[in-house]
Amino acid sequence: GDSVTQMEGPVTLSEEAFLTINCTYTATGYPSLFWYVQYPGEGLQLLLKATKADDKGSNKGFEATYRKETTSFHLEKGSVQVSDSAVYFCALSDQGTNAGKSTFGDGTTLTVKP
Amino acid sequence: ETGVTQTPRHLVMGMTNKKSLKCEQHLGHNAMYWYKQSAKKPLELMFVYNFKEQTENNSVPSRFSPECPNSSHLFLHLHTLQPEDSALYLCASSPSGRGNTGELFFGEGSRLTVL
């Protein structure tokens, strides 16, 4: 079956540091890839997505590139802020008529200190 | 209202109680989901509904009973729960059919504590 493996946390960084959270996946076919973010006391919300190989998703300074050759979708941000402190989930899903249940990684907790 | 709304946000219940969680989406989606998020565990898919029909039951104990009266509403009926059922229950929705990228739209969750 499909699976997602993401970097274990917690990750603690100082403000303005560079962030990388690694994510690799195994899947049949050509899934969509996602990063979701969960702020304290809230549900998950989509951060960015990519639907085909070499696509780059970006939002709020975060980026991730769909790498089919390495089955990876690493999340990066050049300069983190205290407000980026949250739990980040990498996920994949089938597309089209087979889209539905998603497979999530275990989540990586990020804490950014001033 | 827009998006996915869950009520109540917090619920405390005894093991003999019966309660229900409610989810409502205003996005025009035809698929709805229940997920369970426990501390230090991965997100667990519980149920999937497409066009009001249940299409996935991920071996969930019968003390959890879902109901989907229409594509906009989803309930999770709870009875005789155990303390280990304490968790954040997340509802999500998505479009169905062609062109669906698989993106999920989540509510803010219902935090359940079973005493």
Side-chain angles (χ1 to χ4, degrees):
Chain A
D2 296 347
S3 67
V4 175
T5 303
Q6 62 180 101
M7 190 169 85
E8 283 190 32
V11 174
T12 302
L13 296 173
S14 297
E15 206 164 24
E16 299 184 4
F18 185 85
L19 169 71
T20 299
I21 302 178
N22 290 336
C23 173
T24 57
Y25 67 91
T26 58
T28 55
Y30 300 94
S32 295
L33 301 176
F34 306 90
W35 278 101
Y36 289 89
V37 60
Q38 185 177 32
Y39 298 103
E42 299 183 11
L44 279 70
Q45 55 185 275
L46 181 71
L47 179 61
L48 52 85
K49 68 180 180 185
T51 58
K52 61 182 187 294
D54 300 325
D55 263 3
K56 178 186 284 189
S58 62
N59 185 26
K60 299 181 181 179
F62 291 90
E63 293 182 339
T65 300
Y66 191 142
R67 300 287 188 200
K68 189 164 172 57
E69 65 276 14
T70 54
T71 61
S72 65
F73 193 54
H74 305 318
L75 182 67
E76 297 183 336
K77 185 174 185 181
S79 176
V80 293
Q81 305 300 311
V82 172
S83 57
D84 294 326
S85 298
V87 183
Y88 292 81
F89 294 90
C90 185
L92 66 80
S93 175
D94 286 338
Q95 302 187 43
T97 55
N98 292 323
K101 55 179 184 175
S102 295
T103 301
F104 286 85
D106 290 353
T108 302
T109 300
L110 170 66
T111 302
V112 180
K113 298 193 172 181
Chain B
E1 280 191 67
T2 58
V4 181
T5 304
Q6 291 188 241
T7 54
R9 292 292 310 277
H10 300 274
L11 178 63
V12 179
M13 58 188 289
M15 289 190 286
T16 58
N17 291 159
K18 290 185 180 181
K19 297 285 184 183
S20 296
L21 306 180
K22 178 183 176 183
C23 176
E24 184 174 2
Q25 58 95 1
H26 301 272
L27 299 169
H29 293 163
N30 289 306
M32 296 189 78
Y33 313 78
W34 280 116
Y35 280 87
K36 177 182 178 182
Q37 187 178 32
S38 305
K40 309 217 185 280
K41 285 188 176 181
L43 212 59
E44 299 174 54
L45 177 65
M46 301 175 72
F47 301 103
V48 180
Y49 279 81
N50 275 284
F51 296 93
K52 304 189 300 178
E53 298 299 319
Q54 188 181 112
T55 55
E56 181 92 13
N57 177 338
N58 199 18
S59 302
V60 180
S62 60
R63 58 186 184 270
F64 295 91
S65 174
E67 178 190 2
C68 189
N70 54 62
S71 293
S72 299
H73 294 85
L74 184 64
F75 296 88
L76 189 63
H77 303 301
L78 316 169
H79 61 99
T80 58
L81 294 191
Q82 304 298 311
E84 59 265 28
D85 297 322
S86 298
L88 182 68
Y89 289 85
L90 292 164
C91 175
S93 69
S94 73
S96 293
R98 293 183 184 211
N100 179 11
T101 63
E103 177 183 347
L104 292 172
F105 296 76
F106 285 89
E108 297 202 324
S110 293
R111 172 71 63 186
L112 173 67
T113 302
V114 181
L115 301 176

